[in-house]
């Protein structure tokens, strides 16, 4: 191979390495609010107990976080709207919370959708758009959970 061809290949390899490094650095700088429906279990009282794992993957502390969610039945109809209060969330902290849906079996719930943010207050008292704009919703259950 010619010397100039080797130089071009080396230049492309170096450019690719830096582009990959920049992409990785950018991805690491991304912060999110991860909300996972981790478990759903029927209680002896006839309720569905939903277990959520909330992870604040940012450097911001929140004094109050709450989401309005819509509950869908097996036929796809909204059966209720309610607010799930997650309370305060420390920067970089994971919090586990449980909510009981009275008079609902877990099998009767097909989907839960985050309808809106009911509260997203930073520790200094200001409202933030972070809780919705950086929300990553997921489910480890048979119930779909998302935005």
């Amino acid at each position: 191979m010619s010397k100039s061809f080797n130089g071009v290949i080396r230049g492309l390899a170096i450019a690719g390495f830096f582009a990959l490094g920049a992409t990785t650095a950018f991805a690491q700088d991304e912060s999110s609010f991860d909300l996972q429906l981790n478990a759903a279990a029927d209680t002896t009282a006839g309720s569905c107990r939903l277990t959520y794992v909330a992870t604040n993957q940012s450097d911001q502390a929140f004094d109050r976080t709450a989401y309005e969610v819509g509950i869908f039945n097996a036929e796809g109809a909204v059966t209720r709207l309610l607010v799930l209060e997650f309370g305060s969330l420390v920067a970089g902290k994971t919090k586990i919370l449980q909510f009981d849906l009275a008079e609902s079996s877990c099998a009767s719930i097909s989907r839960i959708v985050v309808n809106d943010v009911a509260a997203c207050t930073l520790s200094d008292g200001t409202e933030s758009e972070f809780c919705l704009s950086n929300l990553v919703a997921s489910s480890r259950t048979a119930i779909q959970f998302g935005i």
Side-chain angles (χ1 to χ4, degrees), residues 1 8 12 44-45:
M1 281 192 233
V8 169
L12 289 173
T44 56

Side-chain angles (χ1 to χ4, degrees), residues 2-72:
S2 73
K3 203 176 214 182
S4 64
F5 183 73
N6 284 338
V8 169
I9 296 297
R10 185 176 312 174
L12 289 173
I14 291 171
F17 173 79
F18 283 114
L20 178 61
T23 302
T24 303
F26 179 74
Q28 290 172 346
D29 289 342
E30 293 276 322
S31 58
S32 64
F33 184 85
D34 297 343
L35 192 54
Q36 179 191 80
L37 176 57
N38 186 272
D42 290 314
T43 68
T44 56
S47 300
C48 179
R49 178 165 295 147
L50 302 173
T51 302
Y52 283 92
V53 177
T55 305
N56 178 4
Q57 297 206 41
S58 77
D59 58 359
Q60 303 177 77
F62 294 93
D63 198 37
R64 180 172 176 237
T65 55
Y67 289 94
E68 179 186 64
V69 298
I71 309 295
F72 291 76

